[in-house]
Amino acid sequence: MTSSSPSAAAPARARLVLRLDAPAREWTDAFPVGNGRLGAMCFGGTGTDRLQVNDDTCWSGAPGDPDLAPAAAPEGPQAVLADARRLLDVGDVPAAETQLRRLQSGFSQAYQPLVDLLLTDPSVIDLPGANAQVDGVVAARADLGAPAAYRRELDLDDGVVRTAWTRADGHRLRQTVLASHPDQVLVAERVADDGTLDLDVRVAAAHPWVRALAPARDGSSAPGTVDGAVRLVGLVRMPTRVWPDYAGVAEAVERGDGPSVLAAVALAVRADGGEVRVDVGPDGPVVAVRGASRVQVLLGSATDHDVRTGTLHGDAERVVGEALATVVAADVRADLRDRHGADHRALMGRVHLDLGGDAPDLPLDARLVRHAHGAPDPGLAVLAFQLGRYLTVAGSRPGTLPMNLQGIWNPWHQPPWNANYTTNINVEMNAWPALVGDLVECHEPLLDWLDRLAVSGRRTARELYGARGWVAHHNSDAWGFSAPTGLGEDSPSWSCWPFGGVWLATHVADHHDWTGDDEALRRHWPVLRDAAAFLLDWLVERPDGTLGTAPSTSPEHQYLLPDGTAASVGTSTTADLAMARDLLDHLLRLAPVVGEDDTDLLTRASAARDRLPAERVLPDGRLAEWSGDVPDAEHDHRHQSHLFRVYPGTAIDPDTAPALAAAARATLDARGPDSTGWSLAWRLALRARLRDADGVAAHLAAFLHPVDADPADLPPTPPGVEPTHRGGVYRSLLCAHPPFQVDGNLGVTAGIAEALVQAHRVGPDGAREVHLLPALPAAWPTGRVQGLRLRGGLHLVDLRWRDGRVEHVALTAPAPCTVVVREDDHRARVVVGSTPTTTRLGDQASVEVSITKR
């Protein structure tokens, strides 16, 4: 629908820019760029600038099934499981936990850094202490103190990091950095606005060179220099194993004789004017540019890791050739930036959010401190929302791996938690903004990886548990690790959790619910179907005749035994039963779509679902987490897995289950006002689903807490909050667990979307309800959102509100359907047809609903 009213005019869109007025002092101060596979953290140094580079295929280790509890369980893992269940039945929890530790089968591998690209102005002398050593790589840190007129920006709209500064001699320099998806290269360009510039370009490898970086021959020209550009290429090998930091292994990074990823790096340096040459320095070749007006640096990479199959081909010459060919092809293009910009904006530009108010002309760190003192700044929420979408575009594209704990950005050989796929919330949260944020193609890498994980998980299910289908536990990696994590001494609170596949498989259903893509559903259906097959074999009959789970944990949480000691293993936790019910619902609902003909599976699934206990409410009003009324070991625990069917599930909301929704809200209240960064994002989404606008505002404010600000500049810590464990964001707006984890940035995007519109409910007649502004914070009285995707294939073309009330909404649908549009208790029932339909919502004369066929 087109309206001639003034309020319908598109507002001037504020630039989506993260700004800091000093070079990065820490890794978390840097700004990320990425093309899904190749990522870099941009420090913005003016003496030596560091671009810390990752390739998403660079992991330690190699494909291969781990031993499943080899020596720890000589009688066989299924006998160990049976004994643990017997011990739980007689109430000997500590002995059961001891038995279950015997099923632990090692650790996932670790995501790895690739190289540092170092850009040095030889006329600038870095101050003492300006060099930082990261995992043995000496890489220049940004200058201590900002030079004159310094400004560093991450432009979310264009996918470019821009830095500008004035040198001591008065000359102005500008630099842009981007990671091109169309051309698969990192591009750094430095320009002298007046005069000329000198630049030394060097690559520092994060791993030992297999073939040292050296001038490259492309087969037609002299080595190194081609048409005025210098090209270099080298080869490194990833470690054969990296132990996680919590494993306590002294030599954590192993470089043995076994297979591991081969990675090639190619570099091209081209200048306008001046001289370009290759010098030999103590740390390898340096491309020296003198007297140029503009310098362009391209970096490309290739590895022998085939993401489609999860295998290594081991051909070093092929890897080197692919990296060099990528750079050569990009080096001759004059439209690199235009191609990148068009590609990036085609995704980022699909969704617009305006929450009103004028953004202060301040850098991010100052804005975050100001916001912590209570100053209104709705623009920070907009930036947080769009940063999650930007990171999704930058970190996940078709053909890549899904994002890990660090997204695709990591400087450490031994990153926190191995930067792996933590499946008890984190990898799932990484995918939350893709569908609602209209980035469906960015959801595909997760589904493709699940296809491969299920292959490994089938062996684990069969050999460890004697079960059909596939299983995954707490951790995984690029190679599909699916066994229980640990070495026999690790906590069952996270290791003993065979529900990773049960939760992950729901993303297959989510993809179909948002897109209606039957072909994608059929392609990935074995993931969902076989996760349900494992679940049905895992369920056990309980003494009361219900079906339950044993052993069972509530991820990473513990309860207290009668003697006061902490325990984690029990039977039939609420989280297990909630995820089980959700998966079986999806199986039975979608089986007709794919033509599933396994009637035995479907019959068993229907019968099992009917025997699963529902959630229950504790005497104190909270939603029960454990099968018994036992005290929590941590009342403010960061996980809230037992609220699964509130969010990301859809079964519990204030209309469909008011008592359980009230209990869920009481649970969140009891958890307290603060937590780690990613947990705050999850709680924000839960509050939104519960229509708790004040809770949304409080958790968003807590999420935007600047963890790296000087405590003297911040208000006092809220009562009951432990300052040393408080999460939030770094001055770059990256999420602080702490340490950095990308999941919080992605989860907060999904949570903000839930506060603005929800479409998870379908009535008995099949009509989908679109609930507008279900949890709008009071601080956003006027605003507009355009472009969100909704379940049922609906598309929120436009939603405007003023003074907290809907002013206009426009929806499209892919096919004729009936939609119930709702604000508070006002509802309008609309049948989507081939022509626009307008109706009023409630008794507000200015409110219009326009729904058209897509």
Side-chain angles (χ1 to χ4, degrees):
M1 172 183 166
T2 301
S3 172
S4 60
S5 65
S7 61
R13 297 191 174 186
R15 290 179 64 215
L16 295 175
V17 172
L18 308 186
R19 168 190 157 200
L20 289 170
D21 287 351
R25 292 175 179 264
E26 306 293 340
W27 186 86
T28 49
D29 295 345
F31 285 141
V33 296
N35 63 13
R37 180 185 62 85
L38 194 63
M41 293 293 282
C42 308
F43 282 58
T46 60
T48 294
D49 189 15
R50 177 188 178 199
L51 305 178
Q52 186 268 309
V53 182
N54 290 96
D55 181 308
D56 86 320
T57 63
C58 288
W59 287 71
S60 63
D65 294 327
D67 292 330
L68 296 177
E75 72 271 50
Q78 293 168 43
V80 173
L81 173 65
D83 196 45
R85 284 174 167 167
R86 178 188 63 79
L87 291 165
L88 286 172
D89 286 342
V90 299
D92 194 345
V93 174
E97 293 188 346
T98 297
Q99 282 290 72
L100 291 168
R101 286 187 178 93
R102 299 173 63 205
L103 299 180
Q104 294 175 2
S105 303
F107 298 102
S108 71
Q109 292 285 359
Y111 183 53
Q112 292 295 289
L114 181 57
V115 295
D116 282 355
L117 176 60
L118 305 173
L119 309 178
T120 299
D121 184 341
S123 69
V124 177
I125 300 175
D126 281 330
L127 297 173
N131 287 330
Q133 185 163 332
V134 180
D135 281 339
V137 176
V138 177
R141 201 168 72 183
D143 310 67
L144 302 180
Y150 183 94
R151 190 181 185 100
R152 179 163 58 98
E153 297 179 344
L154 170 57
D155 189 321
L156 303 179
D157 283 320
D158 291 340
V160 174
V161 172
R162 299 186 180 94
T163 311
W165 68 96
T166 301
R167 291 190 313 205
D169 61 6
H171 292 299
R172 186 74 174 163
L173 297 179
R174 292 178 291 112
Q175 180 173 290
T176 59
V177 181
L178 59 91
S180 168
H181 181 260
D183 294 293
Q184 289 296 301
V185 288
L186 182 70
V187 183
E189 181 179 282
R190 186 172 293 190
V191 177
D193 283 346
D194 45 11
T196 61
L197 64 89
D198 298 339
L199 191 65
D200 290 341
V201 182
R202 183 169 70 88
V203 173
H207 303 279
W209 291 108
V210 174
R211 182 180 305 175
L213 194 73
R217 181 188 294 273
D218 70 350
S220 61
S221 306
T225 302
V226 182
D227 300 329
V230 168
R231 295 174 186 156
L232 309 177
V233 66
L235 184 71
V236 298
R237 185 182 291 278
M238 298 299 120
T240 52
R241 168 161 292 284
V242 173
W243 297 91
D245 51 7
Y246 53 83
V249 176
E251 298 295 331
V253 179
E254 298 180 3
R255 302 187 185 277
D257 296 329
S260 62
V261 174
L262 284 168
V265 177
L267 188 73
V269 182
R270 182 180 295 276
D272 292 347
E275 175 192 8
V276 183
R277 67 178 189 269
V278 179
D279 294 337
V280 179
D283 299 314
V286 177
V287 181
V289 180
R290 297 294 181 265
S293 61
R294 167 184 168 271
V295 180
Q296 176 182 273
V297 182
L298 306 181
L299 185 145
S301 67
T303 75
D304 68 336
H305 179 180
D306 185 341
V307 168
R308 294 171 303 168
T309 60
T311 59
L312 302 178
H313 63 67
D315 187 339
E317 295 304 324
R318 174 178 161 188
V319 172
V320 169
E322 288 174 353
L324 184 58
T326 298
V327 167
V328 167
D331 188 30
V332 298
R333 299 201 68 98
D335 57 351
L336 278 174
R337 292 184 62 179
D338 291 342
R339 283 161 57 85
H340 162 77
D343 170 79
H344 181 84
R345 287 190 292 272
L347 277 70
M348 276 300 295
R350 294 173 182 172
V351 174
H352 167 62
L353 176 63
D354 176 11
L355 296 177
D358 296 323
D361 185 18
L362 294 169
L364 262 180
D365 47 0
R367 288 178 70 176
L368 289 167
V369 169
R370 181 175 174 269
H371 184 263
H373 283 277
D377 191 352
L380 278 178
V382 173
L383 290 176
F385 171 85
Q386 293 287 21
L387 178 59
R389 295 186 66 249
Y390 169 86
L391 293 169
T392 300
V393 171
S396 181
R397 292 290 195 102
T400 70
L401 287 164
M403 285 185 283
N404 59 64
L405 283 174
Q406 303 264 151
I408 60 170
W409 301 275
N410 164 51
W412 299 286
H413 289 154
Q414 191 186 34
W417 302 286
N418 272 7
N420 60 23
Y421 297 120
T422 304
T423 64
N424 62 14
I425 175 59
N426 312 95
V427 70
E428 291 89 350
M429 185 182 287
N430 283 358
W432 287 354
L435 297 174
V436 70
D438 200 8
L439 299 170
V440 171
E441 52 270 80
C442 300
H443 194 244
E444 293 174 10
L446 175 62
L447 302 184
D448 292 340
W449 175 72
L450 287 179
D451 291 342
R452 299 189 296 278
L453 178 62
V455 173
S456 166
R458 288 185 183 96
R459 176 197 175 230
T460 302
R462 181 180 66 253
E463 296 188 13
L464 205 61
Y465 301 127
R468 290 169 288 186
W470 72 278
V471 64
H473 294 79
H474 167 252
N475 284 160
S476 190
D477 56 24
W479 317 120
F481 180 84
S482 59
T485 304
L487 291 180
E489 299 294 334
D490 295 277
S491 174
S493 68
W494 40 268
S495 176
C496 180
W497 190 70
F499 267 61
V502 174
W503 190 341
L504 285 165
T506 64
H507 283 272
V508 175
D510 287 344
H511 195 87
H512 188 266
D513 286 350
W514 259 275
T515 67
D517 188 340
D518 291 349
E519 181 181 348
L521 179 65
R522 292 187 186 96
R523 185 166 64 251
H524 301 292
W525 180 249
V527 168
L528 192 154
R529 179 198 63 210
D530 293 351
F534 168 78
L535 171 66
L536 292 171
D537 282 359
W538 181 256
L539 293 171
V540 294
E541 185 169 3
R542 305 305 301 154
D544 62 359
T546 64
L547 289 180
T549 55
S552 180
T553 57
S554 194
E556 303 191 37
H557 201 188
Q558 295 179 300
Y559 62 94
L560 299 179
L561 295 171
D563 64 1
T565 60
S568 54
V569 175
T571 60
S572 298
T573 61
T574 299
D576 275 7
L577 300 178
M579 293 175 195
R581 184 181 298 278
D582 204 56
L583 180 61
L584 296 178
D585 281 343
H586 289 317
L587 175 77
L588 295 168
R589 175 172 60 89
L590 295 174
V593 178
V594 299
E596 175 60 57
D597 58 3
D598 189 338
T599 55
D600 178 65
L601 175 72
L602 299 179
T603 300
R604 292 177 64 214
S606 179
R609 182 183 60 178
D610 294 342
R611 295 177 64 189
L612 293 174
E615 290 91 345
R616 63 190 184 86
V617 180
L618 293 169
D620 64 6
R622 293 178 299 133
L623 198 71
E625 184 168 1
W626 314 96
S627 57
D629 293 355
V630 293
D632 292 335
E634 300 175 69
H635 75 278
D636 58 351
H637 191 66
R638 61 195 175 277
H639 286 257
Q640 39 270 328
S641 308
H642 55 310
L643 305 187
F644 175 86
R645 290 211 304 155
V646 178
Y647 187 95
T650 62
I652 296 176
D653 72 20
D655 289 332
T656 59
L660 294 179
R665 186 165 175 170
T667 301
L668 290 172
D669 291 342
R671 281 289 202 258
D674 223 315
S675 192
T676 61
W678 64 262
S679 181
L680 290 168
W682 191 2
R683 293 179 188 187
L684 188 157
L686 287 163
R687 294 282 187 178
R689 186 60 62 78
L690 295 170
R691 302 178 205 155
D692 179 3
D694 291 341
V696 168
H699 284 310
L700 182 59
F703 178 82
L704 292 172
H705 165 70
V707 299
D708 48 8
D710 187 334
D713 294 335
L714 297 174
T717 302
V721 175
E722 175 56 55
T724 57
H725 296 102
R726 191 174 185 187
V729 294
Y730 298 102
R731 58 177 58 90
S732 61
L733 213 58
L734 292 177
C735 175
H737 176 49
F740 165 65
Q741 284 186 193
V742 77
D743 42 24
N745 289 113
L746 303 169
V748 83
T749 299
I752 290 172
E754 285 290 324
L756 300 177
V757 59
Q758 297 173 14
H760 58 277
R761 290 189 57 199
V762 177
D765 61 352
R768 185 170 296 275
E769 179 182 280
V770 178
H771 193 167
L772 307 175
L773 308 182
L776 184 72
W780 307 340
T782 299
R784 185 176 194 177
V785 64
Q786 298 167 288
L788 294 178
R789 271 184 180 262
L790 308 178
R791 286 180 172 87
L794 297 172
H795 190 228
L796 184 68
V797 177
D798 197 9
L799 169 62
R800 298 195 307 272
W801 66 94
R802 185 180 300 278
D803 299 326
R805 307 297 298 178
V806 173
E807 193 174 52
H808 171 82
V809 60
L811 298 168
T812 61
C817 63
T818 299
V819 177
V820 175
V821 183
R822 173 185 179 185
E823 181 191 19
D824 294 335
D825 292 328
H826 299 296
R827 291 175 171 85
R829 188 178 184 88
V830 183
V831 178
V832 176
S834 59
T835 57
T837 302
T838 301
T839 188
R840 299 199 182 281
L841 186 61
D843 56 0
Q844 301 169 77
S846 63
V847 174
E848 297 173 320
V849 179
S850 175
I851 302 181
T852 62
K853 183 178 179 181
R854 196 171 186 177

